[in-house]
Amino acid sequence: MHSALAPLGRDALSEEDLTALVRTITGDPAAVPGAVRLEPVDYPIGTPSTESLHRVFGTDAAGVEWSCFVKKLQSVRHWPMMHQLPEEFRALFIHNLPWQLEIAVHRSDIVELLPEGMRLPTAYRIDVYDDDRATLWMENVVQDWGPWPIERFERAAYLLGRLSARRQPHLVEPFLAREHVTTPGVGLRFYSEGRVRGAALPALADPETWRHPLLGAAVCNLGDHRLRDDLLELGARIPAVLDTLEALPQCYQHGDASPQNLLVPRDKPDEFVVIDWGFDCPQAVGFDLGQLLIGLAHAGELAPEALPVVHKVILKAFQEGLAVEGLQVSEEEVLYGYLGSLLVRSAFTALPLELFGKADASLELFEQRVQLTRALVDLVTPVV
């Protein structure tokens, strides 16, 4: 075992395996590892199936620099927060969250379906263990940091449209074969029953939630005293929205197409390296646009007032991507698939209620999220 990799536990590579990894990364069949440095990734992990994230940096004996990204995956039965879920919901949660999805993506033929301008990160090594854990050693993408220009949103939506059209249910299979996985909308309906109707809506309906000092002050400062009623009114529409979504044209899509999962390499700013796929089941056409719209706003990197402009651009570009691939879908169908899915997935969970009582909660954050929630409510209400 190389000592620098010791914090990875059983994933700490032997000298022989490290040499093989360095040779794979550098493309030099004679490369010999030199200095090695392991760094934890400073990024909040929001997915229960992700155990940890690290980057490894090093040089070979000739001084050539190399790096890779190490992602440790786990069944959600190992998730430290599992105890916070209602006991009767835990078994279903474990069954329905496919922790092996990213491995299945790398072992699939998706590379042949990605439109030009999209690619997967190179997978150097995949280790799968008997205790429902696995580790991916992948390309460390050096990103083009900074705000996304509107043209990048437009290009991402266009390529997502092309990808969706290429992944219609009669053309492809899910990455992971599972019970009911080919049922339209099954992923979003499961999410709705647990995260939204089981947790978020009861909290939003509780007057005490809105009396919390941070949320109460944010609502008062912004004068948005109708927000609670508007959210609850939309919440009552969820069953009908889900029924309508499932009757729309369906596609297997990326499933979590936020800008954070569409990495832009610094040396190729017109390219997207696609990571962290989700919702491995048919969803209403337009589903991917929701996360594309909200991802940076949710992270505080895009002002809520910018959402209407981004919305118009990505809706049009996505439809153009569908059309190029020969999938004829009306604007009304794409719009409902996009905004109906966005409502269920994001509108009721944008307020950071999980931060109540936490040290990193701030009035500024709550005000930003109240504005974001209002922007989402105003966007979806006329459509759903």
Side-chain angles (χ1 to χ4, degrees):
M1 177 185 75
H2 195 289
S3 59
L5 301 180
L8 293 178
R10 67 176 170 188
D11 288 300
L13 300 180
S14 67
E15 294 291 349
E16 181 181 358
D17 285 340
L18 179 60
T19 298
L21 177 70
V22 172
R23 290 176 178 178
T24 298
I25 295 172
T26 62
D28 180 358
V32 176
V36 178
R37 184 176 84 256
L38 179 71
E39 292 184 1
V41 174
D42 184 19
Y43 184 81
I45 296 174
T47 305
S49 57
T50 300
E51 179 182 347
S52 67
L53 303 170
H54 289 82
R55 288 188 176 92
V56 183
F57 299 92
T59 57
D60 66 12
V64 175
E65 294 183 347
W66 59 270
S67 66
C68 69
F69 191 89
V70 184
K71 184 171 186 176
K72 299 181 77 167
L73 302 168
Q74 62 184 5
S75 165
V76 295
R77 68 184 178 88
H78 298 299
W79 184 40
M81 299 290 103
M82 180 62 75
H83 66 279
Q84 296 184 357
L85 296 181
E87 189 169 355
E88 66 274 11
F89 184 68
R90 294 174 194 171
L92 194 60
F93 185 64
I94 293 169
H95 176 74
N96 281 286
L97 195 71
W99 69 272
Q100 318 98 317
L101 179 59
E102 197 161 355
I103 296 170
V105 169
H106 281 282
R107 290 176 170 172
S108 74
D109 62 354
I110 189 63
V111 170
E112 300 171 12
L113 293 178
L114 289 171
E116 184 177 357
M118 282 184 164
R119 68 175 180 87
L120 295 182
T122 303
Y124 302 128
R125 177 187 175 102
I126 301 175
D127 298 315
V128 181
Y129 303 105
D130 292 337
D131 61 348
D132 290 343
R133 286 186 167 98
T135 301
L136 277 168
W137 300 74
M138 299 181 292
E139 173 186 359
N140 179 38
V141 179
V142 180
Q143 297 184 61
D144 182 27
W145 293 111
W148 270 37
I150 193 67
E151 294 81 11
R152 185 170 289 163
F153 280 102
E154 183 177 34
R155 177 166 172 74
Y158 171 75
L159 294 176
L160 288 169
R162 295 190 65 180
L163 177 63
S164 295
R166 294 180 179 190
R167 301 193 72 220
Q168 295 174 66
H170 69 281
L171 299 175
V172 301
E173 298 290 334
F175 291 119
L176 284 171
R178 307 184 309 286
E179 186 181 12
H180 304 309
V181 73
T182 59
T183 302
V186 63
L188 190 60
R189 190 171 284 273
F190 175 74
Y191 176 86
S192 168
E193 290 301 317
R195 181 74 175 88
V196 180
R197 301 179 73 188
L201 281 175
L204 293 172
D206 185 351
E208 289 301 314
T209 297
W210 301 86
R211 294 190 185 107
H212 186 278
L214 287 175
L215 181 56
V219 169
C220 286
N221 291 349
L222 296 167
D224 196 352
H225 299 284
R226 275 207 52 82
L227 185 59
R228 174 179 180 267
D229 290 342
D230 288 347
L231 284 169
L232 295 179
E233 181 181 334
L234 285 170
R237 302 184 197 177
I238 289 178
V241 170
L242 290 172
D243 289 344
T244 303
L245 289 172
E246 291 161 13
L248 291 173
Q250 305 286 305
C251 302
Y252 290 94
Q253 301 173 62
H254 176 279
D256 195 10
S258 66
Q260 292 92 326
N261 292 335
L262 303 174
L263 308 183
V264 179
R266 185 180 299 169
D267 58 346
K268 293 184 178 180
D270 291 331
E271 181 177 85
F272 297 102
V273 181
V274 187
I275 64 171
D276 291 357
W277 297 62
F279 284 85
D280 183 31
C281 60
Q283 297 289 355
V285 65
F287 177 92
D288 270 348
L289 291 178
Q291 293 304 106
L292 182 63
L293 176 76
I294 197 179
L296 292 180
H298 197 270
E301 298 174 22
L302 182 71
E305 54 266 29
L307 294 185
V309 173
V310 176
H311 158 71
K312 291 180 181 178
V313 168
I314 63 177
L315 176 62
K316 181 174 184 292
F318 186 88
Q319 290 178 267
E320 291 172 352
L322 295 175
V324 164
E325 297 292 336
L327 180 55
Q328 300 301 320
V329 183
S330 71
E331 179 179 347
E332 290 75 17
E333 289 173 316
V334 175
L335 182 64
Y336 198 103
Y338 157 31
L339 294 184
S341 301
L342 176 64
L343 166 69
V344 177
R345 185 153 184 205
S346 302
F348 305 105
T349 55
L351 294 174
L353 307 185
E354 68 279 2
L355 295 183
F356 283 175
K358 299 291 181 65
D360 52 351
S362 68
L363 179 58
E364 180 183 8
L365 172 62
F366 272 81
E367 288 181 345
Q368 188 266 338
R369 292 294 189 85
V370 167
Q371 290 176 305
L372 174 58
T373 303
R374 168 51 62 190
L376 295 178
V377 167
D378 290 347
L379 192 61
V380 305
T381 298
V383 175
V384 303

